[in-house]
Amino acid sequence: MSENNNTTPKSNFIREIIDEDIRTGKYGGRVHTRFPPEPNGYLHIGHAKSICLNFGIARDYNGLCNLRFDDTNPSKEDVEYVESIKEDVRWLGFDWEDREYYASDYFEQLYDYAVQLIKMGKAYVCDLSADEIREYRGTLTEPGKESPYRNRSIEENLDLFERMRKGEFPDGSKTLRAKIDMSSPNLNMRDPVMYRILRATHHRTGDKWCIYPMYDWAHGLCDSIERITHSICTLEFEDHRPLYDWFLDQLGVYHPRQIEFARLNLSYTVMSKRRLLQLVEEGIVNGWDDPRMPTISGLRRRGYTPESIRYFADRVGVAKRENMIDVALLEDSLRDDLNKRAPRAMAVLRPLKVVIINYPDDKVEEMDAINNPEDPSMGSRKVPFTKEIYIERDDFREIPPKKYYRLYPGNEVRLRYAYIIKCVDVIKDPQTGEVVEIHCTYDPETRSGESKSQKKVKATIHWVSARYAIDAEVRLYDRLFNVEDPSGENWKDHINPNSLEVLKNCKLEPCLKNVKPQDRYQFERLGYFCVDYDSTPEHIVFNRTVTLRDTWAKIEKSVQENP
Ligand code: ATP
Ligand code: MG
């Protein structure tokens, strides 16, 4: 990656804050960030941005970045998610070394801090139900009402809180709340809940606890315990910052600085974990790593490289205002990377047989083909040429439209790395009228690289020898949604019904015989493709990673796409 390597990182408002904190010695010049996923789903491209930001800042400032699982909600969390998150962060190229932490590691400590707040008269046990709490909270325009339990004595609160922990009360019957200000203009400050009673088996602490801390209570304290310097989170937590600060100030503990940035929104997809889970559970996609998903595992399976995602995150930068990033930028970042690295090969996705009638029956010529014109060190290979070959159905028209320069009766084209051929006959199925075979002649004087003839043609097409072709399945993916912003209530109405097309009868150049999952190639003229996990030596499966150009700007795609 030439663009994002060996260059000084772009400055942004977060780095400016950090620079200033280093200058004033606020945290003794230390920089310590964390990436705090909740293990309730697979990571998506938005998380990738946060990972690149947090780990990238740590790297650039010689600091540290922790991986911390925010596992305070046992009913939705699972070890499967923990494992996938670790795999994804590692794959993106980041290392948390031995700093793998869990909010649940601190449950005992958080409990003690809560007892401390109760003793200070700053927290109380409340018997209002969840609905009542909501009702009492008031609105943006009306102040809230104080809970009738707000003035319980410290002794009573200590006793009740301990009994909450011991499991003496049913789920949802009591909460521990901070005693702040029911008329605060900031709703988060209106006596927020710190603990709730919930009997659910936790994936790490089992049944040890039946009270669980709320996010706002747990998060700042985890940051404090880990001595994080800059707690970077998304904008929706801006209104929570006064609460983050309040808890830490009341307790008088080490106080990191929370900084908010705009989350990544990407066009033509959804990013909320709840919706991604719905796509998986309702079978709209084939799992979290379906190549159409914006999850990191989906992008990986699709053929994205970690470099391309890091480059994308860099190009997007960090903003203070919500915005929508065009998915074309992500695709462009990928092309930029694969163009330099992916070897070229020829593959025919929708084969049409061509017989070269003046070519000797059993002759085989080895044609020289360049592996990557962008990188001569990748060398060249031999491609067998024979009397019968396959070309793309779309590269032949019986009746050519205007400006169609490829094969049609009487016309000549060049076969990439081989000869110029001329269409002399069209064979059709007598029943259906479908074109089943093309007959051509070749001009022996036009062999690529050693052409003795001055002949010029307007198009070059790719091909695969019929005798040596390898069969493969190729899965073509398109955007999962057909509107730019499917975020509204009726988001599922915008699912693109044609987001997956499976081609079972594709023909590959023989050099692709021994491919392994995750190998990536550029199929000439078609795009970048990646071997799928389902692929075996007997049944090769490729995913189309991305087309060569942004085909959503398509105008008569098939005609214009080719020279
Ligand atoms: P979702 O809203 O998709 O359910 P979340 O924010 O609840 O995600 P977490 O696991 O809590 O998911 O997120 C871990 C970290 O990733 C948080 O710091 C969060 O701010 C950040 N993050 C989540 N989504 C995005 C996004 N779209 N862009 C940037 N950062 C994000
Ligand atoms: Mg969250």
Side-chain angles (χ1 to χ4, degrees):
M1 299 298 308
S2 58
E3 263 104 325
N4 65 340
N5 269 1
N6 310 320
T7 55
T8 19
K10 260 191 289 179
S11 190
N12 57 50
F13 75 96
I14 298 179
R15 286 174 187 264
E16 279 165 19
I17 291 173
I18 294 175
D19 289 336
E20 177 67 8
D21 287 346
I22 289 175
R23 208 179 54 73
T24 61
K26 188 166 174 197
Y27 298 103
R30 273 186 324 119
V31 173
H32 200 150
T33 56
R34 84 288 172 264
F35 173 63
E38 184 182 352
N40 62 350
Y42 281 62
L43 297 182
H44 52 60
I45 183 75
H47 294 115
K49 174 176 170 176
S50 174
I51 292 167
C52 292
L53 184 60
N54 281 293
F55 280 93
I57 282 175
R59 178 198 57 213
D60 297 338
Y61 286 93
N62 279 318
L64 298 170
C65 180
N66 295 354
L67 175 62
R68 181 196 319 136
F69 291 97
D70 221 323
D71 55 348
T72 53
N73 188 4
S75 52
K76 290 196 175 145
E77 296 161 3
D78 198 279
V79 276
E80 176 197 347
Y81 299 133
V82 171
E83 291 310 316
S84 77
I85 288 168
K86 290 201 275 186
E87 185 184 354
D88 289 349
V89 175
R90 231 179 260 127
W91 179 77
L92 274 176
F94 297 106
D95 186 2
W96 56 93
E97 299 171 313
D98 58 351
R99 295 179 312 282
E100 176 178 326
Y101 299 122
Y102 294 80
S104 57
D105 294 341
Y106 311 126
F107 279 175
E108 197 66 53
Q109 221 168 330
L110 297 180
Y111 180 85
D112 291 344
Y113 279 130
V115 168
Q116 211 176 309
L117 267 199
I118 295 172
K119 285 182 178 162
M120 293 164 66
K122 302 281 185 178
Y124 62 97
V125 172
C126 180
D127 295 4
L128 293 181
S129 68
D131 284 342
E132 287 166 329
I133 289 179
R134 209 169 304 123
E135 231 171 84
Y136 275 65
R137 180 169 296 141
T139 63
L140 282 173
T141 49
E142 284 166 56
K145 268 195 310 195
E146 294 191 349
S147 160
Y149 307 98
R150 199 173 198 260
N151 295 313
R152 276 177 165 153
S153 70
I154 290 176
E155 290 66 38
E156 190 182 3
N157 282 321
L158 286 172
D159 174 61
L160 288 173
F161 188 49
E162 191 182 344
R163 288 164 61 197
M164 274 169 70
R165 177 184 181 161
K166 283 187 179 153
E168 289 187 22
F169 309 113
D171 285 9
S173 62
K174 285 182 170 35
T175 55
L176 183 73
R177 298 176 69 181
K179 195 169 179 177
I180 309 181
D181 178 4
M182 287 309 290
S183 57
S184 169
N186 183 340
L187 268 64
N188 295 303
M189 300 300 275
R190 295 184 188 172
D191 291 10
V193 173
M194 296 163 59
Y195 277 91
R196 66 222 160 105
I197 305 174
L198 175 69
R199 283 169 180 80
T201 304
H202 188 282
H203 60 102
R204 284 177 70 84
T205 57
D207 295 319
K208 180 167 181 213
W209 294 88
C210 66
I211 56 171
Y212 287 97
M214 302 302 287
Y215 175 89
D216 285 317
W217 170 243
H219 200 86
L221 281 170
C222 292
D223 284 345
S224 174
I225 293 166
E226 292 176 14
R227 303 190 77 74
I228 299 302
T229 56
H230 301 87
S231 176
I232 301 167
C233 61
T234 38
L235 274 184
E236 69 271 24
F237 292 105
E238 194 168 15
D239 288 347
H240 295 240
R241 186 172 0 115
L243 182 55
Y244 182 100
D245 291 336
W246 189 88
F247 282 135
L248 298 179
D249 287 341
Q250 295 303 316
L251 293 167
V253 293
Y254 171 85
H255 196 147
R257 173 169 188 168
Q258 176 178 304
I259 308 171
E260 308 85 16
F261 71 100
R263 63 173 44 232
L264 171 71
N265 298 304
L266 199 61
S267 61
Y268 296 102
T269 193
V270 293
M271 218 112 79
S272 116
K273 277 192 246 174
R274 198 167 43 85
R275 288 184 175 174
L276 294 176
L277 180 66
Q278 230 173 311
L279 291 171
V280 173
E281 285 183 338
E282 293 174 20
I284 296 165
V285 296
N286 305 312
W288 284 99
D289 71 347
D290 185 297
R292 291 166 291 181
M293 291 281 271
T295 51
I296 296 177
S297 51
L299 295 169
R300 173 165 65 236
R301 184 166 188 175
R302 174 87 167 244
Y304 272 78
T305 59
E307 290 83 354
S308 64
I309 294 176
R310 296 201 301 261
Y311 178 40
F312 169 72
D314 247 36
R315 290 169 88 181
V316 168
V318 286
K320 277 196 234 193
R321 285 256 200 87
E322 288 286 344
N323 58 353
M324 167 83 81
I325 301 293
D326 191 339
V327 67
L329 187 70
L330 177 63
E331 293 172 345
D332 184 72
S333 305
L334 178 63
R335 285 186 197 102
D336 181 87
D337 186 26
L338 291 180
N339 181 40
K340 293 172 216 145
R341 302 203 298 170
R344 275 49 171 173
M346 291 197 285
V348 173
L349 302 188
R350 297 176 179 86
L352 173 62
K353 186 174 269 185
V354 173
V355 180
I356 299 162
I357 53 174
N358 60 339
Y359 197 83
D361 283 357
D362 296 320
K363 187 169 174 177
V364 184
E365 281 179 275
E366 297 285 344
M367 302 307 196
D368 283 311
I370 295 163
N371 286 334
N372 188 344
E374 300 289 320
D375 182 358
S377 76
M378 290 172 75
S380 63
R381 66 186 187 285
K382 301 285 185 194
V383 185
F385 183 75
T386 53
K387 184 185 181 81
E388 294 190 354
I389 61 171
Y390 294 111
I391 65 165
E392 217 59 70
R393 266 197 175 270
D394 193 46
D395 284 338
F396 172 80
R397 299 290 171 88
E398 196 175 9
I399 300 154
K402 260 208 183 103
K403 294 196 174 168
Y404 187 89
Y405 300 121
R406 289 167 278 160
L407 210 53
Y408 54 87
N411 195 38
E412 288 185 306
V413 292
R414 174 170 287 285
L415 295 174
R416 179 85 161 142
Y417 302 122
Y419 296 100
I420 290 176
I421 58 169
K422 177 179 190 170
C423 175
V424 293
D425 207 358
V426 181
I427 316 297
K428 294 185 192 175
D429 181 313
Q431 248 88 60
T432 63
E434 192 200 6
V435 176
V436 291
E437 200 172 285
I438 304 297
H439 287 183
C440 291
T441 54
Y442 86 114
D443 179 347
E445 300 294 294
T446 58
R447 181 168 167 158
S448 191
E450 52 195 56
S451 182
K452 299 180 189 90
S453 122
Q454 296 298 309
K455 201 178 278 180
K456 287 261 186 308
V457 289
K458 281 194 168 157
T460 299
I461 64 174
H462 61 276
W463 54 275
V464 170
S465 157
R467 195 193 308 168
Y468 293 100
I470 315 257
D471 292 321
E473 173 180 326
V474 176
R475 300 172 185 167
L476 304 180
Y477 300 99
D478 206 336
R479 292 179 184 166
L480 194 48
F481 292 87
N482 49 28
V483 296
E484 202 174 294
D485 181 9
S487 66
E489 263 323 292
N490 303 325
W491 63 284
K492 277 200 276 180
D493 297 348
H494 306 298
I495 288 173
N496 174 6
N498 305 314
S499 60
L500 171 61
E501 184 181 1
V502 180
L503 303 174
K504 298 252 184 198
N505 185 30
C506 307
K507 304 289 181 184
L508 311 181
E509 192 189 312
C511 75
L512 297 172
K513 191 167 155 206
N514 297 315
V515 291
K516 301 178 305 302
Q518 291 277 283
D519 285 351
R520 301 178 184 90
Y521 288 87
Q522 184 194 99
F523 290 169
E524 296 217 18
R525 297 174 66 230
L526 299 174
Y528 294 96
F529 293 74
C530 174
V531 182
D532 191 72
Y533 303 143
D534 289 344
S535 191
T536 63
E538 294 73 42
H539 182 79
I540 292 175
V541 182
F542 269 92
N543 296 319
R544 183 172 67 194
T545 306
V546 67
T547 52
L548 289 179
R549 267 160 270 169
D550 184 359
T551 50
W552 272 56
K554 63 187 153 197
I555 343 126
E556 278 194 81
K557 177 174 134 200
S558 59
V559 177
Q560 304 231 341
E561 228 175 38
N562 293 288

